[in-house]
Amino acid sequence: MNALIYPLIVFVSMAAWGLLHSWLAAFRTKKWVRQTFERRICRYYRLIYVSIAILTLTPILAMLVFLPQRVLWIIPPPWIYVTIAVQFLAILGILITVLQTNVMTFIGLRQLENPRAEQESEFVRKGFYRIVRHPMYLFSIIFFWLIPYMTDLILAFIIASTLYFLIGSIPEEQKLRETYGEAYEKYQAEVPRIIPGVKIT
């Protein structure tokens, strides 16, 4: 039982992070913030959102380094070279995906000049977005599950992260439907959500 305590702490912490992340991203939360703190805060919301996501994720990542953990498996040569190569391609895919969107809007810096920059941003269907609707999640899942040095803490983190990608993308899809309307609904019908070839809305 004691062996499950630390992985459980990591899993619950990551699940809580996912809930916070999704709650902050929701239109309802943004509306509440706008009504409570006046409209002028809208230009800072995305930047604050990204900053909170990074700051709250940092201690969870620190747990993976400093908490006691058990090694579950280590991928041996030559397969480790294959997994590292695929991980490198996954990281490259993440970077390309970010560049296919508006990086300044993604971070929240463009909103400092134009509070409606996020709503007015282009509906992206090019590049990897032609294969899945959330390529960043797909590449992150590939990278995580191919980590060659797997401990119980890392596995707990990966399971929680994967569940977040699968479940957390549902309210994100709702936000995108509200933003882009019928164009996004058509996109949903044509392109899989995260897994290529699996059209689950």
Side-chain angles (χ1 to χ4, degrees), residues 16 25 41 78 94 115 118 124 130 132 160 168 179 193:
I41 200 174
I94 291 172
E118 197 170 351
V124 180
R130 293 179 298 179
V132 291
T179 302
R193 180 154 53 107

Side-chain angles (χ1 to χ4, degrees), residues 11-49:
F11 182 88
V12 171
S13 299
M14 192 60 199
W17 181 90
L19 288 172
L20 174 66
H21 198 65
S22 295
W23 179 74
L24 289 173
F27 272 147
R28 190 175 302 175
T29 307
K30 291 181 181 179
K31 183 179 179 181
W32 175 80
V33 170
R34 186 167 58 245
Q35 292 173 343
T36 306
F37 300 99
E38 301 183 9
R39 296 184 64 87
R40 62 175 176 268
I41 200 174
C42 293
R43 68 177 69 246
Y44 305 105
Y45 191 87
R46 178 71 188 183
L47 187 59
I48 293 171
Y49 167 77

Side-chain angles (χ1 to χ4, degrees), residues 2-11 63 67-69 152-153 156:
N2 290 337
L4 295 176
I5 291 177
Y6 292 121
L8 187 59
I9 291 173
V10 170
F11 182 88
M63 291 182 194
L67 286 181
Q69 53 195 298
D152 52 351
L153 300 189

Side-chain angles (χ1 to χ4, degrees), residues 42-176:
C42 293
R43 68 177 69 246
Y44 305 105
Y45 191 87
R46 178 71 188 183
L47 187 59
I48 293 171
Y49 167 77
V50 172
S51 300
I52 290 174
I54 294 172
L55 288 173
T56 51
L57 184 61
T58 301
I60 300 175
L61 296 177
M63 291 182 194
L64 305 184
V65 177
F66 297 109
L67 286 181
Q69 53 195 298
R70 294 181 300 114
V71 177
L72 299 180
W73 67 77
I74 300 174
I75 298 178
W79 304 111
I80 188 172
Y81 306 122
V82 176
T83 57
I84 290 175
V86 176
Q87 282 185 303
F88 174 79
L89 293 176
I91 293 174
L92 191 61
I94 291 172
L95 293 175
I96 293 173
T97 300
V98 172
L99 293 175
Q100 286 174 343
T101 59
N102 191 308
V103 179
M104 301 300 283
T105 302
F106 181 81
I107 297 172
L109 294 178
R110 190 174 297 276
Q111 288 86 322
L112 299 179
E113 297 180 357
N114 177 14
R116 291 192 54 81
E118 197 170 351
Q119 289 81 6
E120 296 171 359
S121 60
E122 179 189 358
F123 175 31
V124 180
R125 289 197 59 170
K126 61 185 178 182
F128 293 125
Y129 285 93
R130 293 179 298 179
I131 303 171
V132 291
R133 303 196 299 271
H134 299 279
M136 195 175 301
Y137 291 168
L138 170 63
F139 291 126
S140 297
I141 289 171
I142 292 171
F143 176 85
F144 285 155
W145 283 101
L146 289 179
I147 290 177
Y149 184 84
M150 187 63 66
T151 69
D152 52 351
L153 300 189
I154 295 174
L155 183 60
F157 175 84
I158 290 174
I159 293 172
S161 299
T162 303
L163 289 174
Y164 167 71
F165 294 144
L166 296 174
I167 299 171
S169 60
I170 296 173
E172 186 175 340
E173 294 269 301
Q174 182 179 353
K175 184 179 73 171
L176 291 168

